Amino acid sequence: MTLVTAGEVKARAADLGFIACGITDLQPSAYAEELEEWLRRGYGGTMRYLNRQAAKRRDPRKVDPAARRVVVVLDNYYYSEHSTGAEGATKVARYASSRDYHLVTLNRINGLADFLIGHGAKAARPYVDTGPVPERELAQRAGLGWIGKNTMLLRPGVGSWFFIGTVFTDLPLQIDSPFVSDHCGSCTRCLDACPTSAFVEPHLLDATKCISYLTIEWKKELPAELAGRFDGWAFGCDICNEVCPWNLRFAEDTRIEEFRPRRDLPGAGPSYFDAMTDEEFDRRFADTALSRPGLELMRRNWRNAVATLREAQAGLANRRQ
């Protein structure tokens, strides 16, 4: 059997709907010391799995000892049509408006893994935010973009509205040159726009202050000193993506129909989740990202989001008087 080439792998990734594909090796992380310091400072909060996974994130060879290469793909999920996010409306992150990306992207990346197996690979292990994989660094090393000041991967001519998937394989594919330039320049829009000041400095995020962390990972009452700054966000937050000039200029709608926003949330009132049963929540949201926090936390989040919108509207009314 003739082994597949890197070009053929990239062509198959494009056929599957991925907007970019690159290949890199399994050298240890260049950010190992930074990861250790980030964890030591407690910036990971209650995400203790990051501590347990740290050894593999520092050295991707430990993710799959049989692997020699990592195939990295980008999956655009952007839709200009968005089911929430209108001014004065309770908001959820754009990726949470459609079917769960763990299902959508992983289904197609499994197809890429099958392609590798069918062309000589004995190992082809796929991941989409589902394991101890330093996706952004691997994507940068595979030539797909640079890591911006908001810690997101940015790709020239595309922006950052995409998921990163990987396939660890034993095929000796030709690797790509890393992306070495930084195109953020002097721009600090993402840092300046964060309502909870979650960025300690450029490229350094304190997750414990991030709205995404607090609405998804944090299980207790929302911190009083931060909860009032959520500006209507009930699940996740897109602010640092929304203000990025690369997204404002280059974002284009995805071709993946399963990422099209659903119509469950538009017009949902203040008691939307409070009035919902567990059965109804499962029926509506079991295959979406909202299943991660579950009904009880979505009730908490929704109440807080509504409260912050009311406070903002009251403040605006007072300023107009």
Side-chain angles (χ1 to χ4, degrees), residues 146-154 160-161 182-206 209-211 233 237-248:
W146 78 98
I147 299 174
K149 293 177 181 177
N150 64 351
T151 74
M152 304 291 287
L153 185 81
L154 289 153
S160 60
W161 296 109
D182 186 322
H183 294 268
C184 288
S186 61
C187 179
T188 59
R189 292 187 192 181
C190 58
L191 311 183
D192 300 336
C194 180
T196 56
S197 301
F199 294 103
V200 180
E201 60 188 52
H203 306 288
L204 182 58
L205 173 71
D206 179 354
K209 294 182 179 180
C210 177
I211 293 175
W233 289 98
C237 177
D238 283 336
I239 292 174
C240 65
N241 278 320
E242 289 175 340
V243 301
C244 177
W246 288 92
N247 285 325
L248 292 171

Side-chain angles (χ1 to χ4, degrees), residues 85-101:
E87 185 174 354
T90 309
K91 296 169 280 193
V92 302
R94 192 176 296 271
Y95 75 84
S97 297
S98 61
R99 193 163 188 255
D100 189 351
Y101 68 94

Side-chain angles (χ1 to χ4, degrees), residues 24 40 53 83 85 99 107 112 130 142 145 177 208 247 257 259:
T24 188
R40 188 191 66 78
Q53 297 173 349
S83 62
R99 193 163 188 255
N107 179 56
L112 186 59
T130 50
S177 298
T208 67
N247 285 325
E257 186 66 23
F259 288 140

Side-chain angles (χ1 to χ4, degrees), residues 25-56:
D25 57 23
L26 288 158
Q27 292 300 311
S29 170
Y31 302 102
E33 292 184 5
E34 286 88 342
L35 173 61
E36 288 299 305
E37 179 66 11
W38 189 81
L39 292 171
R40 188 191 66 78
R41 292 188 183 185
Y43 289 154
T46 58
M47 296 184 290
R48 301 301 297 176
Y49 61 87
L50 294 175
N51 298 74
R52 296 192 297 271
Q53 297 173 349
K56 292 181 178 179

Side-chain angles (χ1 to χ4, degrees), residues 261-275:
R262 295 180 176 179
R263 310 307 302 173
D264 295 281
L265 292 175
S271 61
Y272 181 69
F273 286 102
D274 283 331

Side-chain angles (χ1 to χ4, degrees), residues 101-132:
Y101 68 94
H102 294 94
L103 304 174
V104 178
T105 300
L106 189 58
N107 179 56
R108 286 181 293 112
I109 205 168
N110 278 333
L112 186 59
D114 291 342
F115 176 79
L116 296 176
I117 293 293
H119 289 79
K122 293 182 174 60
R125 180 176 292 184
Y127 291 95
V128 182
D129 192 25
T130 50

